[in-house]
Each structure stands twice: as C-alpha cells, then as structure tokens.
Amino acid sequence: MARLFPVRHVMGYIFSLVLSLVALGVVFWDLNVTAGLTILTVCAVIQASLQLVVFMHIGETSNKRSLYLNIILAVFVGVVTIFGTLFTMIWGFR
Amino acid sequence: MKINDTLPLEYSTEENSNKVFGFWIFLGAEIALFSTLFAVYFTLWNRTGSGPSGSELFELNGVLWETFLLLTSSFTCGLAIHAMRLNLKKPMMIFFGLTLLMGLGFLGIEISEFVTYVQDGATLQTSAFLSSLFVLLGTHGLHVSMGFLWGAGIMLQIKRHGITPETANKSFIFSLYWHFLDVVWIFIFSFVYLKGLM
C-alpha cells in the first residue's frame, strides 16, 4: 500500500495545498494591492513549477532541455501577450 | 517495434517518445491560448457596466471546493501514473477513476456557479467583464469536460488491453493534460477569484 503513495507525490500534494492556503490569505489579510499580487504571483509560480517537475516529470528524459526550452518560450509568449495587451490597452496612454 | 527496456513503458518506442514530446509542444500552444484569454480578462475586469463586479459576484466557498477537487485529482492522476510504472493495473484504474470523478465534481460546481450567475442577471452579454470571465472560465471548463471524456476512453482501453506500450503512452499523455489543467486553474483561482475578492 505504501508504495502506491510515493513520498515525493505526497509532499508535492501537501505543499500545493499549503500554497493555495497562503494565496487564500490575501482575501483575509488587510494588504495593499502590490503586496497581495506579489503573494499571489509567487504562490502560483511555485505551484505551477511543482506540477511541472513533480507530477508531469518534466526533467526525467534525455530531452529535458528541449522540454524546458519549449515551456520557457511558451511562458515568454504568454507574458508578452498579457503585459503587451495591458500596456497597449491600459497603461500606455495614461 | 523496438522496445527500450531502460525507459518507462510510455517512452519505450521512438513513436511513444515522439508523441510525449509532441504533446509538450501542444501544451506550449495551450499556454499561449490561455494567456490571450487572461490578457482580455485583465484588460476588461473593471468594465462592469451596469452588471455586478467580481467582488459582488464571486462566492469563495464553491471556488475553494473547486480548487480542492482539482488539486486532489491532479494528485491521484500522478499516483495513477506511478501505479502504472509499477505495472499495477487495478490501483492505476482506481486512481484514474478517482481523478475523473473529482473532475466531474469540479464541473458540477462550476456549472451550478454559472447557473447562479445567470439567475442573478449576470450573463455573457451583461458586461465586458462578464463576457471575458465566462470565456476564460468556459474555455477551462470545456478542457476539463474534454479531459473527462478522454480519460474515460483511456480507462476503457486499459481495461480491455491492460498496461501496454500504447495504453501507457496514452495514459501518460492524458496525465500531462490533466496536470496542465490544474496549472491553469491555479492561475484562475489566484488572479480571477482571489484577486477579485481581495
């Protein structure tokens, strides 16, 4: 039975729950927007990386370099899309 | 078919390795897709018109259950792949079954959430905020629905054929998809719901 629940996965799960609870804190703690968004971003990025590494086994094959590069490129495209849109639609002309 | 015994079954042939790699590239495209939807939402989130705002609309209780279900289903999906690598068919099927059931629970909560919104007069046409919200959440929910059907199909194949290089490969690729949906949900949970209620 124990071998069905590897420590790595169980720890990953517990850590995900803890990170979600910390993120939930922004609703109850009286924080300013910057502090709140910082906590949310840090927790979300750690949690996403945890899924990638622990559950999706991104680093276990010999082509892991290509996999990481692919994800980094996609995240770069995503970040440029989001912040580029915010810049052109909101921040750029204030 | 050349089988490489030093690798887990799902990578054991060249075709299998290529399929896993190809799916990672697809996930890259999915990241780009969801980024565009987040970009639209972040641009329009305070354009509520005469409709409700996020903080008036969102209910923390349901969202927490959705998050808990999806996180736990991601965990059991990981355990299913672990059991698969130990060549244990029955635990693998149980963990996959639990994963899909929790996915269904997630969808149930999300659908009832949408129904409540619409009953409160918050529809797709009410405001720019609600249009972008429904499209973002709906795209994720559609992915979960597709994942449910896909996973159910794979469970049938494992039941029929057992753990073979083909079914192991399909299961592993499905697990990548399911974990990815959890990653997208983490961002929705944080930057739509928690930010909206902050």
Side-chain angles (χ1 to χ4, degrees), chain A residues 3 13 40 51 60 70 78, chain B residues 24 35 72 74 82 85 182:
Chain A
R3 71 179 180 145
Y13 176 55
L40 289 178
Q51 290 281 335
E60 72 178 10
N70 171 54
Chain B
W24 275 102
S35 300
T72 311
S74 186
H82 181 75
R85 288 181 170 181
D182 187 47

Side-chain angles (χ1 to χ4, degrees), chain A residues 3-6 9 13 16 20 23 26-27 40-41 47 51 55-56 60-61 63 67 70 74 78 82 85 89, chain B residues 11 21 24 27-28 35 39 43 68 71-72 74-75 78-79 82 85 176 179 182-183 186 190-191 194-195 198:
Chain A
R3 71 179 180 145
L4 290 176
F5 295 90
H9 282 57
Y13 176 55
S16 297
S20 298
V26 300
V27 176
L40 289 178
T41 307
Q47 220 176 314
Q51 290 281 335
F55 292 117
M56 295 167 87
E60 72 178 10
T61 48
N63 64 351
L67 297 186
N70 171 54
I82 290 171
T85 304
M89 302 303 285
Chain B
Y11 295 107
F21 185 60
W24 275 102
L27 289 183
S35 300
T43 306
F68 179 70
L71 264 180
T72 311
S74 186
F75 173 56
L79 294 179
H82 181 75
R85 288 181 170 181
L176 290 181
H179 296 307
D182 187 47
V183 172
I186 292 163
S190 304
F191 295 104
L194 295 184
K195 180 176 159 286
M198 205 162 74

Side-chain angles (χ1 to χ4, degrees), chain B residues 5-187:
Chain B
D5 294 328
T6 58
L7 289 170
L9 208 52
E10 63 268 25
Y11 295 107
S12 57
T13 64
E14 194 179 351
E15 183 185 338
N16 275 0
S17 296
N18 286 345
K19 281 182 175 167
V20 173
F21 185 60
F23 199 78
W24 275 102
I25 294 176
F26 167 73
L27 289 183
E30 290 277 276
I31 292 177
L33 165 71
F34 279 101
S35 300
T36 61
L37 299 178
F38 274 108
V40 173
Y41 178 79
F42 293 151
T43 306
L44 298 173
W45 72 275
N46 56 2
R47 304 301 167 97
T48 52
S50 53
S53 69
S55 54
E56 291 160 354
L57 198 65
F58 299 150
E59 288 225 26
L60 200 51
N61 223 335
V63 178
L64 290 181
W65 275 108
E66 283 175 290
T67 306
F68 179 70
L69 282 175
L70 221 52
L71 264 180
T72 311
S73 80
S74 186
F75 173 56
T76 55
C77 188
L79 294 179
I81 295 303
H82 181 75
M84 178 180 91
R85 288 181 170 181
L86 297 171
N87 205 18
L88 299 167
K89 181 175 158 183
K90 204 176 163 200
M92 179 191 179
M93 290 290 274
I94 292 172
F95 283 133
F96 259 159
L98 287 172
T99 304
L100 295 182
L101 278 180
M102 284 183 272
L104 211 56
F106 170 88
L107 284 171
I109 299 175
E110 183 156 68
I111 290 166
S112 77
E113 181 190 323
F114 280 12
V115 170
T116 317
Y117 288 176
V118 172
Q119 279 170 350
D120 293 347
T123 68
L124 190 65
Q125 294 97 332
T126 307
S127 65
F129 156 66
L130 286 166
S131 304
S132 60
L133 178 75
F134 276 119
V135 173
L136 174 58
L137 296 182
T139 306
H140 178 265
L142 185 67
H143 275 76
V144 177
S145 313
M146 291 298 165
F148 176 81
L149 296 175
W150 184 13
I154 285 173
M155 280 185 73
L156 282 177
Q157 294 187 19
I158 298 166
K159 193 173 156 51
R160 204 167 292 165
H161 306 292
I163 301 176
T164 67
E166 285 82 23
T167 57
N169 185 246
K170 289 177 183 180
S171 306
F172 186 75
I173 289 174
F174 168 73
S175 85
L176 290 181
Y177 181 78
W178 198 263
H179 296 307
F180 175 75
L181 292 185
D182 187 47
V183 172
V184 175
W185 180 258
I186 292 163
F187 283 89

